């Protein structure tokens, strides 16, 4: 069913973006220009005609034996011309002209018959540019045959083609008028799940992984039912399984391990955009019970997810020498990571891998986030003129991060033993300043957690407990 994406390295040097147009060659004569552009109608007609001829000739070759899996190189002159069309299609007037000339129908022929990965890539890319125009996007989306052919491109073994297909899908999903059409179409094409999971679990092309992640993130955000179906059923829904005895075995994909593989790949490439995307997808999973169970009921019981996110949070994102303002820049990814860690901690507290005695640096990192937020609140404005809506949005996301951070800390503080506290004090993960910061943020909403911690702290360090009670009178034990 699938071919490994072994051609990633081969195509890394192939620039999927088209070369710039040659203005002299395309200078439009009077009455020949497309809309308000300088592009020539006649020239564009000639290129599309060549493209039709290429597809027609490929059709005539289809009867030749043993050519099913043969890939052919695109003629250099034709490639250059079609790349210019790709570049031109970013202009709305050109896009509308291509639509009027029924270019999408020509591209359908390419998808069905072409043996040239480069030609397929370019045609998907042109469609992606055209789809930026709302009316064209609506037309493309309503064409069921074209829609199915686009989804079939996700089965391609060519990474650049997969990248352009993902861009096209994301563009369509971002148009509110047609998003539901694509959600329903994807629901009705269960093999899309296998294609997406296969890319995430096997590709080393980070640009492709980021774009596929954005598509998945948008899908899950748009439709919780689709997310639940993918969590519960996965590849067991697939309807395009081969039936002959010699077929290759189709991997039984699970959504969480595939997400982790992609996340590790983008992390190894230090791709912050990809990290944001995949952490948010994991966070979306934790918004439903089925998603949390999918994380903690993997073969390793959620350990890989915990370890990946724990290391990201404690060893990469939250460092002592980071300036406080860094929390402002990282607030979204921090909130996603902490949401997942909190969900795992709450449901797997009996598991050895989440025992706080082994994860004391987590306390330091959580407190550092709270301290950085406090410092950001104290700093005067830098003079930049932000709108009230921008400031409100910034405060809103910081409040979400603070709430998640406090909830996780409250759960941890309730579980700390005398030995944990002694070790935390010894290693510097806990001290008077840090405990004061925690109490300041947890009280009064998490009074029970703080009170429980103080009771155990008395056994470990009576003097520190007394000092904290003096600073926070509401904590004095009732006799």
């Amino acid at each position: 069913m699938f071919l490994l994406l072994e051609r990633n390295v081969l195509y890394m040097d192939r620039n999927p973006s088209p070369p710039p147009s040659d203005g002299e060659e395309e200078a439009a004569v009077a009455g020949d220009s497309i809309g308000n552009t300088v592009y020539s109608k006649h020239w564009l007609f000639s290129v599309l005609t060549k493209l039709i001829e290429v597809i027609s000739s490929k059709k005539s070759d289809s009867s030749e034996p043993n050519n099913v899996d043969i890939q052919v190189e695109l003629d250099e002159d034709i490639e250059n011309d079609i790349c210019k069309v790709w570049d031109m299609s970013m202009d709305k007037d050109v896009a509308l002209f291509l639509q009027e000339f029924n270019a999408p129908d020509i591209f359908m022929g390419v998808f069905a018959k072409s043996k040239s990965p480069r030609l397929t890539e370019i045609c998907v890319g042109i469609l992606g540019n055209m789809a930026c125009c709302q009316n064209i996007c609506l037309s493309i989306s309503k064409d069921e045959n074209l829609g199915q052919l686009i989804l079939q491109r996700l089965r391609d073994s060519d990474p650049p083609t997969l990248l352009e297909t993902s861009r096209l899908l994301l563009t369509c999903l971002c148009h509110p008028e047609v998003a539901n059409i694509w959600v329903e179409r994807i629901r009705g094409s269960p093999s899309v799940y296998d294609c997406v999971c296969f890319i995430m679990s096997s590709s080393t092309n980070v640009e492709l992984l980021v774009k596929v992640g954005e598509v998945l993130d948008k899908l899950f955000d748009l439709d919780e039912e689709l997310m639940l179906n993918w969590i519960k059923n996965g590849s067991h829904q697939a309807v395009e399984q081969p039936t002959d005895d010699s077929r290759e075995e189709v991997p039984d994909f699970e959504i969480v391990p595939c997400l982790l593989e992609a996340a590790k790949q983008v992390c190894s490439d230090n791709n912050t955009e990809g990290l944001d995307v995949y952490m948010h997808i994991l966070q979306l999973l934790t918004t439903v019970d089925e998603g949390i169970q999918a994380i903690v009921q993997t073969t390793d019981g959620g350990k890989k997810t915990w370890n990946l996110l724990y290391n990201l949070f404690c060893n990469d994102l939250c460092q002592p020498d980071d300036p406080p303002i860094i929390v402002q820049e990282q607030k979204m990814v921090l909130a996603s990571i902490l949401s997942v860690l909190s969900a795992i901690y709450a449901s797997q507290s009996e598991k050895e891998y989440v025992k706080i005695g082994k994860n004391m640096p987590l306390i330091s990192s959580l407190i550092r986030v709270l301290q950085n937020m406090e410092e950001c609140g104290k700093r005067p404005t830098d003079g930049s003129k932000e709108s009230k809506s921008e400031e409100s949005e910034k405060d809103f996301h910081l409040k979400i991060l603070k709430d998640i951070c406090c909830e996780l800390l409250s759960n941890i503080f309730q579980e700390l033993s005398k030995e944990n506290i002694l070790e935390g004090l010894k290693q510097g993960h806990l001290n008077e300043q840090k405990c004061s910061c925690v109490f300041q943020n947890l009280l009064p909403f998490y009074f029970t957690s703080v009170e429980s911690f103080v009771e155990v702290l008395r056994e470990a360090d009576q003097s520190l407990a007394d000092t904290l009670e003096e600073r926070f009178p509401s904590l004095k034990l009732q006799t």
Side-chain angles (χ1 to χ4, degrees), residues 42-94:
H42 177 75
W43 180 87
L44 186 54
F45 277 135
S46 68
V47 174
L48 293 176
T49 301
K50 288 179 186 177
L51 182 56
I52 293 172
E53 292 173 353
V54 169
I55 297 306
S56 299
S57 66
K58 297 305 176 188
K59 181 178 180 180
S60 63
D61 294 341
S62 61
S63 59
E64 295 181 13
N66 303 321
N67 75 332
V68 176
D69 296 323
I70 294 176
Q71 295 183 345
V72 298
E73 292 296 323
L74 186 60
D75 179 83
E76 184 176 351
D77 291 337
I78 295 177
E79 178 176 348
N80 289 336
D81 285 343
I82 299 177
C83 273
K84 289 177 183 178
V85 176
W86 190 1
D87 194 23
M88 293 163 55
S89 64
M90 297 174 65
D91 187 288
K92 183 178 179 180
D93 286 339
V94 175

Side-chain angles (χ1 to χ4, degrees), residues 156-203:
D156 213 298
S157 61
D158 180 56
T161 300
L162 289 170
L163 177 60
E164 293 308 319
T165 302
S166 301
R167 283 178 172 155
L168 171 57
L169 288 174
L170 184 62
T171 299
C172 293
L173 289 170
C174 288
H175 278 285
E177 298 81 2
V178 302
N180 285 339
I181 296 176
W182 286 97
V183 170
E184 290 298 325
R185 183 172 288 139
I186 291 170
R187 274 194 200 166
S189 304
S191 62
V192 172
Y193 173 93
D194 287 312
C195 296
V196 171
C197 284
F198 180 75
I199 294 169
M200 293 192 298
S201 62
S202 64
S203 179

